[in-house]
Structures are given as C-alpha cells and as structure tokens.
Amino acid sequence: MLPYNSIEAAAAHLGRNLTYAETLWFNYSADKSDDVLACHNILFLCLFFSVAPLPFVFIQLLRSPFFEKHKIQPKIQPSAADIFNCYKDVMLSFFFVVGPLQLLSYPSVKAVGVHTGLPLPSIGEISAQLLVYFLIEDYTHYWIHRFLHCKWGYEKIHKVHHHYTSPIAFAAPYAHWAEILILGIPSFLGPAMVPGHITTFWLWFVLRQMEAIDTHSGYDFPWSVTKYIPFYGGADHHDYHHYVGGQSQSNFSSVFTYCDYIYGTDKVITSNQPKINIEHYVINYIFQVF
C-alpha cells in the first residue's frame, strides 16, 4: 500500500510531478495492500494461460495446409478433447499448486526487496532486470531439468510433462506438482537476487510463460521474431526433446541454447524451415579467441 494520501503528497515526496504511468499506478494501487497486489500475479497467469495459447489451438484444429507445413511433428494431431483436458489439468495445477506457491513465497520475495511503491522503474531498468532474470532462470533451469532426466527424476516426476511427445501450447506448464515446485525456484531466483518493482515481477512471469507457450507450440513459423533473438531455442529446439522423451539427453535449456552448447547437450535440429543459429558462430568465435 502506498504511503501517500494523495497524488500531491506523492509528488512532494518524489520532488517532481508523477508521470502518466505513475499516476495510473497511484490511482489503482493506493488503497490496495501488498498482499492483494501480490495475488494479481495468479490472476494474470490464469488469464494469460487461458488466452495466449488460443491462436495455436485454432491453428491445430483448423489443420490448414498453410499452417500444417510448419508443424514440427505433422503426424501427431491432438483432438479438441485432448487440448481441453490438458487445459483443465493445467488450471487445476494453477489453483492448487501455483497459486498457493505464489502466496506463500511473496513474504520472502517482499523481504528481499520487491516493492510496490513509487517511483516506477524506467524502461532501461526493467529491461536490464528482465535480462538478468532470464539468464539466471535459464542457467538454473538447465541443471534442474538435467537432474529430472536421471532415471529416478524422470520416472517419479518429469514423465508427466513428457506425456505430450508432440507438445501443444497448453502443455507448457503441464507437469507433476513436484516439478512445478522445483522449477519454480529458478523463476524466483532472479527477482530475489536483483529485486525490482512488483510490476516488473508481473511482467517477468508473463514473458517467461509467453516463451514457454511458444516453445511448446509445436510449430516452427519462419516469420517468428524469436528467430532473430540470439541464443533463443524456440519450438524446434524443445520439440525434439519431447519427441525423444525419457531417453533424451539433449536440449535441456528453457529459453536460450548456450548451456546446451557449452555442456555438449545441444542437438541441432533439421526442420522444415531454416533457423538463424548465429549463436553457434558467436560461441565458436569466442572459444577460438580465448
């Protein structure tokens, strides 16, 4: 809850007028406790995961030749019932696992410095923090994911996520409850190490889940802007991991491919569409120089 009774008091404390975004934030959050604001993250995730995968769902059910030529595993076609059951199971995990995890972890997140007050962070600050969050999450996720592919981890926990050998967008968070808890740790590490504003915290989780939906979409579209993001794995990188399943010892990265490349678990995919893998040239160059 903001410690100001009015916009004028907030402006006096900051020593300047509030920006338009800060004025909107004040009007919305001034009478809401930090705990209530923390609950927004759960609502955002449920709403986002209900809406964001729908374009991929429509494409899969439409089965248009225009889109199907970009499907990575065209022989596997999920039914509408399969997709709905996946969505239902994901929402149940959100209400009974992700939601409580968010609520129980917020006191710790708040203690390390995630805040709700003014001023709002600049675009540069948000971008820098998000980059750090992605890098920290990606590195720690890689090693936990590799652990989950040991015999015990896979059979007891990770096998649930690999139920879909050809991923669908709604299956991005489809997993055993223990895996949701374990892989939730990397997502919280970044904000804990480099704390920021709660709006950055919200944005981080939305972007991370947006990437997960794209990675599990099952389609490798040549027009995707993610093909121009250095080190980005994408759907073709992760789709192979699901295709191999429990025997997979490659492509463990969640977002970027540098860990797979450095630690020798990178499997180069030959898909229907060429991919701009400039990261391999960059890493090779670095190794040659140093």
Side-chain angles (χ1 to χ4, degrees), residues 43-71:
L43 298 176
F44 290 152
L45 289 177
C46 289
L47 178 62
F48 186 78
F49 261 117
S50 297
V51 176
L54 290 180
F56 292 112
V57 172
F58 293 145
I59 288 172
Q60 285 181 320
L61 297 179
L62 184 63
R63 288 177 171 72
S64 167
F66 177 78
F67 294 113
E68 286 304 294
K69 65 184 179 182
H70 303 297
K71 195 173 191 308

Side-chain angles (χ1 to χ4, degrees), residues 3 38 57 68 97 138 172 194 221 227 230 250:
V57 172
E68 286 304 294
V97 181
D138 197 64
V194 186
F221 294 125
K227 288 185 173 292
S250 63

